Amino acid sequence: MTHLFNTYNRYPIELVDGHDFHLVDRNGKEYVDLAAGIGVMSFGYHNQLIQRSVQAQLEKVWHTSNLYENSLQEKVADKLVQLSGGDQLVFFANSGTEANEAALKLAHKYTGKAKVMTFTNSFHGRTYGSLAVTDYPGIKQGFFVDTTEVVVADYNDPAAFDLLDDSFAAVIVEIVQGEGGVNLIDPDWLKELVFKTHDKHALVIIDEVQTGIGRTGKFFAFQHYGIRPDIITSAKALGSGLPIGAMIGRQKLASAFTPGSHGTTFGGNMLAMASTDAVLTQMTPDFLADVSHKGAMLISALKIGLVDVDQVLAIRGLGLMVGIQLAADLPVESIISDLQAAGYLTISSKHNTLRLLPVLVIDEASLLQAAKKISQIIKTKAEVLA
Ligand SMILES: Cc1ncc(COP(=O)(O)O)c(C=O)c1O
């Protein structure tokens, strides 16, 4: 009998070890990891630099609280800011939803305003603030989430601009909607959104929890488009499996967060910081260029492999964040289980989409082999239906 709340539909696989981009289950079966623990394990398993950094910290203190000075946090914040634009301050939390809570609180406090605009198919987390700006009616049901100050506009639709006025504190948006179906932002719409939001004296919050830390081929996905957010949120791959979140806000917002205005016991924990430090060291221009290259290769291999399959409605992605949207008569979960049987781990996303978030250090040959297997499995299932 389980003593866990039944909040997850778990696959009947227990993953007990791994190396690089491979995972091994309790029966010794190997898998190529195209899910990365939902976009977390970008450097795979047993990355030497990360492992050594955490091991060194394990020999020292693990936690001291945020009541004391912390040069490791300062060092990691400095690296993060250098990679994020250069004029920011960081608040460390423990997860994506907490990073977004901090962002929303900062935006309200700084602007003195209540309203927030969010978008269709957005996902920002499951605590009350983040949940209120998440467009998944199902996961809000029964929780009395207060959405009175939230406006949901259509993603990529210029009609959103007409809904903005001076009563807004912030707009929160993803550059690629990961949970929402791997939906890519329209770059012109994004630029106009930033302009119009600033025109109404509101802040632009870019949620990079899933898109950040190299996933799309830039450190943060917004860096593809030359915009300047007021607040960036990060988590997932930032700590390579140790719980960490970060809210990165422009210096001009500093006055709104003063001692006592926000906090967390574990945020910026030493072990998570040691891991993050080693993650950020590996975020080099060459690494990011390699992700872009492999991403383009994967998308083109899938497009070729699935070219005449009617049940494939779209293949889209940026870097190594890729979605294959399937017709309703080809359930994504059946593809995921066939891929598991063939030794590939993948996940789903909204609108019957197969989502691929491979470990970023996967090699080209294995990625091409994965594309071939995915195409083969989708084709075979589609032929059975025809
Ligand atoms: C874009 C985005 N924001 C926020 C979150 C929430 O992050 P966490 O699960 O770490 O709270 C997620 C999680 O999937 C996400 O994809």
Side-chain angles (χ1 to χ4, degrees), residues 8 38 40 94-100 122-127 130 134 172-174 176-180 207-211 233-236 244-245 321 355:
Y8 296 96
I38 322 185
V40 171
N94 309 283
S95 63
T97 198
E98 281 179 69
N100 284 330
S122 61
F123 186 89
H124 299 293
R126 291 169 182 271
T127 50
S130 304
T134 286
I172 183 165
V173 66
E174 294 155 88
V176 182
Q177 294 181 321
E179 301 304 307
D207 180 339
E208 294 267 4
V209 168
Q210 193 162 148
T211 48
T233 56
S234 179
K236 285 195 183 281
I244 174 88
M321 184 166 182
R355 183 169 28 152

Side-chain angles (χ1 to χ4, degrees), residues 105-306:
K105 285 180 75 176
L106 183 64
H108 290 308
K109 195 86 184 285
Y110 179 78
T111 61
K113 298 190 280 185
K115 261 195 203 160
V116 177
M117 178 175 282
T118 186
F119 298 96
T120 44
N121 296 315
S122 61
F123 186 89
H124 299 293
R126 291 169 182 271
T127 50
Y128 274 89
S130 304
L131 193 55
V133 295
T134 286
D135 181 41
Y136 269 67
I139 66 168
K140 286 189 209 164
Q141 212 173 4
F143 293 121
F144 302 101
V145 181
D146 184 358
T147 53
T148 45
E149 301 292 355
V150 175
V151 172
V152 184
D154 285 336
Y155 192 63
N156 282 336
D157 185 346
F161 309 145
D162 300 330
L163 301 174
L164 276 171
D165 60 33
D166 282 312
S167 65
F168 280 83
V171 163
I172 183 165
V173 66
E174 294 155 88
I175 302 294
V176 182
Q177 294 181 321
E179 301 304 307
V182 192
N183 309 315
L184 307 187
I185 207 158
D186 173 339
D188 292 332
W189 181 79
L190 171 66
K191 282 178 198 151
E192 192 68 6
L193 179 69
V194 172
F195 178 79
K196 296 275 200 255
T197 304
H198 286 157
D199 193 48
K200 300 297 177 195
H201 310 287
L203 302 179
V204 174
I205 303 171
I206 305 287
D207 180 339
E208 294 267 4
V209 168
Q210 193 162 148
T211 48
I213 325 300
R215 170 59 54 191
T216 71
K218 295 277 186 194
F219 180 63
F220 283 128
F222 77 81
Q223 292 166 333
H224 286 284
Y225 305 119
I227 59 150
R228 235 177 135 201
D230 300 291
I231 302 176
I232 306 155
T233 56
S234 179
K236 285 195 183 281
L238 183 60
S240 197
L242 287 180
I244 174 88
M247 186 275 287
I248 305 158
R250 298 265 299 276
Q251 289 266 4
K252 67 174 184 186
L253 310 175
S255 61
F257 263 12
T258 50
S261 55
H262 195 50
T264 153
T265 298
F266 287 124
N269 164 268
M270 304 285 219
L271 296 178
M273 285 290 107
S275 177
T276 302
D277 187 23
V279 166
L280 297 181
T281 300
Q282 297 178 80
M283 283 289 135
T284 61
D286 282 354
F287 176 82
L288 297 172
D290 184 54
V291 172
S292 279
H293 168 70
K294 287 187 294 198
M297 209 184 68
L298 174 62
I299 291 173
S300 113
L302 289 168
K303 283 188 172 165
I304 292 167
L306 292 165

